[in-house]
Amino acid sequence: MSTVIPIAAPPRGMPLLGHALSLLRDPLGVITALPAQGDLVRLRLGPREIVVVCDPLLTRQVLMDDRTFDKGGALFERAAEVLGDGMVTCPHARHRRQRRLAQPSFHPSRVSGFGEVMADEFDTASRSWHDGQIIDMSSELATLTLRIAVRTMFSAALPPDAVRGLVTDFSYLVESAMRRTLAPRSLTRIPTPGNRRYERARLRCRRVVGDLIAERRAEGTDHGDLLSSLLLAQDPNSAEGPAAMSDQEVSDQVLTFFFAGSETVAGVLVWALSLLARHPDVEARLHTEVDAVLAGAPVTTADVPRLELTGRIVSETLRLHPPAWLLSRVVTRDTELGGVPMPAGTEIGFSPYLIHRRPDLYRDPDAFDPDRWLGTPPARAAYIPFSSGARMCIGDRFALLEAGLALAAITSRWSLRQLTPHNPRPSMKGMLSPNEMRMRIVARPRADGGGR
Ligand code: HEM
């Protein structure tokens, strides 16, 4: 790595907003055009400038050194307004302790226990649909995955109307995330109806979570859910702070899990259902697999390892449509990347979407081909839907289990037809998910000729 890689600035930047408007209008078009400009490309977003890393090995270098390339940048600053100092947003200095305290919550045995809640939600929802019904899968799945996040976090502690309230408020916060990230900070402080609604939703979420923490502390019993696990966690190596989490830390972590763990899974599922609707050959093979494994019974966690094609469909969907499509870091000390000096304070962007669509890493990269996962897996730097290094997603197992259960529960009963035009525009929420995905629910014929 001896050559100096030039930092190019793509055209189409406007004098004041830079590339923010083009990013809002056509985020994926802007991002996928970057590698042709160089391995490091400068983008201007209003007053800020970010250097986007387009090369997989340089991206990996950034991810492996989370002390030099720390959390930071516009995206995380705005996310921290809602999430506080939770695990996704906190800097390196506070990260290791948080991760150690949260790790038991994501122990494989605990995660497989959550499979029951996940299967129950998808089973109940998909049973309630009827033949010919038209559903916006984008909002249906956003609600379902957030309900699962709330139930796995709090077990039965919240009454149904409080779950609904939390789901509505939180959905609004997520929906506003990217818009607020790209807007100048001064605009987000003006008391417009949208900003006021955002603030009310934020405060309500905090209050509900704060009340539950106070109740649990007073009770002192283990409910077997994520909240209990966070309240009971003790850090054996507590040199970096108190051994247990404070109420504020638990509250930040709860909101972080809602944020990181619902819209992401919903996005993958919506895209997977859309891809299946557009690839009937793959859908037919999936039906055969699901029928053989489930044999007419509701799906359970124990079925997931045998749902092999289902797993490959999830992997391929995460490659084509990684929900966390653009992430940022900030350089904490003068350094270099790919031979280019990076002074402290430089904002770095990296994009799993961009890496996953590189033709030098994937044959026919825009094609949906779950069978590409049959052979040798791609190099570690080439597939990063969950990121990598110390800040890698802690909920990957949770997400893969949820996605597998959801696809099996839905496709065991229904075949979905896409009504929203093909390749719908992704919304500029915090995550990469389609704005709307209207689908017609069609009952699958049973072997005996009847519907299910
Ligand atoms: C398909 C679903 C998911 C995807 C694609 C995804 C993706 C990611 C990515 C890319 C990161 C790293 C961000 C960065 O490097 O800046 C991350 C971090 C994180 N994710 Fe996920 N995630 C998913 C599901 C979940 C779930 C279900 C949970 C929790 C229940 C979760 C909790 C977290 C947390 C707490 C972090 C921060 C980890 C740390 O910094 O130590 N995620 N996720």
Side-chain angles (χ1 to χ4, degrees):
M1 193 118 36
S2 52
T3 49
V4 174
I5 300 162
I7 297 182
R12 305 196 351 232
M14 310 238 317
L16 277 175
L17 292 164
H19 304 96
L21 270 188
S22 358
L23 253 185
L24 274 174
R25 284 199 198 111
D26 181 16
L28 302 179
V30 171
I31 286 293
T32 38
L34 296 183
Q37 317 265 342
D39 286 345
L40 298 167
V41 183
R42 183 175 293 142
L43 279 187
R44 209 154 60 69
L45 304 177
R48 343 172 55 122
E49 199 167 75
I50 63 169
V51 174
V52 181
V53 188
C54 303
D55 175 76
L57 291 176
L58 292 182
T59 303
R60 190 167 167 78
Q61 192 181 327
V62 167
L63 293 176
M64 289 299 135
D65 183 358
D66 66 320
R67 190 185 288 264
T68 307
F69 302 99
D70 202 356
K71 286 283 171 127
L75 192 69
F76 288 110
E77 280 168 24
R78 295 298 157 81
E81 288 173 7
V82 177
L83 307 177
D85 203 28
M87 219 193 317
V88 167
T89 41
C90 74
H92 170 84
R94 291 191 289 280
H95 174 254
R96 296 301 191 270
R97 172 174 173 273
Q98 293 207 22
R99 181 102 187 184
R100 276 197 301 273
L101 283 164
Q103 205 71 55
S105 310
F106 291 91
H107 188 273
S109 60
R110 199 174 265 266
V111 170
S112 35
F114 296 142
E116 217 177 295
V117 171
M118 298 168 182
D120 174 53
E121 284 290 341
F122 288 115
D123 202 53
T124 310
S126 60
R127 263 178 211 282
S128 74
W129 301 342
H130 58 79
D131 192 20
Q133 188 179 352
I134 294 174
I135 298 182
D136 174 10
M137 278 297 160
S138 228
S139 67
E140 176 84 358
L141 291 167
T143 307
L144 271 173
T145 51
L146 194 45
R147 278 181 60 82
I148 289 169
V150 170
R151 280 187 64 194
T152 47
M153 180 59 72
F154 301 135
S155 51
L158 272 183
D161 57 333
V163 173
R164 269 194 298 278
L166 202 52
V167 166
T168 310
D169 280 339
F170 210 75
S171 304
Y172 187 72
L173 297 180
V174 173
E175 205 180 292
S176 317
M178 186 58 84
R179 191 169 29 80
R180 291 176 68 87
T181 300
L182 293 178
R185 189 180 278 269
S186 53
L187 287 187
T188 63
R189 292 188 175 142
I190 299 172
T192 59
N195 286 343
R196 283 209 305 269
R197 183 173 167 201
Y198 178 87
E199 195 49 24
R200 278 197 305 271
R202 191 181 70 81
L203 291 175
R204 268 198 303 263
C205 282
R206 282 279 172 188
R207 200 170 42 240
V208 173
V209 173
D211 289 351
L212 271 167
I213 292 172
E215 271 171 38
R216 285 287 176 88
R217 290 260 197 232
E219 266 176 34
T221 40
D222 182 356
H223 289 246
D225 52 23
L226 277 176
L227 181 60
S228 289
S229 158
L230 289 174
L231 288 170
L232 296 171
Q234 292 283 331
D235 182 5
N237 171 9
S238 58
E240 299 155 43
M245 284 194 206
S246 67
D247 286 2
Q248 179 67 42
E249 284 178 312
V250 174
S251 168
D252 288 351
Q253 232 54 278
V254 168
L255 291 180
T256 294
F257 292 163
F258 288 170
F259 179 77
S262 54
E263 195 79 19
T264 45
V265 183
V268 175
L269 288 174
V270 177
W271 284 117
L273 293 175
S274 160
L275 287 163
L276 288 171
R278 286 181 275 149
H279 296 83
D281 51 326
V282 181
E283 189 197 36
R285 285 168 57 205
L286 175 64
H287 287 164
T288 306
E289 172 173 282
V290 167
D291 291 352
V293 173
L294 304 192
V299 66
T300 66
T301 307
D303 297 319
V304 174
R306 286 186 298 141
L307 292 166
E308 192 262 333
L309 172 61
T310 314
R312 281 188 280 124
I313 291 171
V314 173
S315 302
E316 179 69 345
T317 308
L318 279 166
R319 182 185 72 79
L320 283 171
H321 302 286
W325 63 286
L326 181 64
L327 293 156
S328 63
R329 294 290 188 265
V330 69
V331 175
T332 55
R333 62 176 176 86
D334 292 353
T335 185
E336 59 83 34
L337 189 61
V340 174
M342 294 282 152
T346 307
E347 281 192 31
I348 304 271
F350 68 94
S351 164
Y353 185 94
L354 174 164
I355 303 279
H356 295 173
R357 300 268 182 156
R358 284 187 67 124
D360 55 339
L361 298 178
Y362 293 95
R363 184 183 33 81
D364 202 359
D366 296 334
F368 173 60
D369 176 13
D371 291 344
R372 70 170 86 238
W373 296 91
L374 281 171
T376 327
R380 295 178 86 164
Y383 187 63
I384 50 168
F386 295 107
S387 186
S388 54
R391 307 304 296 252
M392 185 182 160
C393 182
I394 200 173
D396 54 344
R397 226 182 270 270
F398 186 116
L400 294 175
L401 176 62
E402 187 172 349
L405 290 168
L407 279 189
I410 294 171
T411 58
S412 63
R413 288 198 189 87
W414 310 107
S415 179
L416 273 60
R417 306 277 183 276
Q418 183 170 327
L419 303 178
T420 299
H422 289 180
N423 266 330
R425 248 173 74 88
S427 77
M428 283 301 283
K429 294 180 189 173
M431 308 294 165
L432 184 59
S433 50
N435 250 335
E436 178 191 78
M437 181 63 77
R438 283 176 356 107
M439 299 191 99
R440 176 174 288 115
I441 308 294
V442 179
R444 283 187 50 208
R446 282 200 323 221
D448 60 9
R452 286 182 195 227

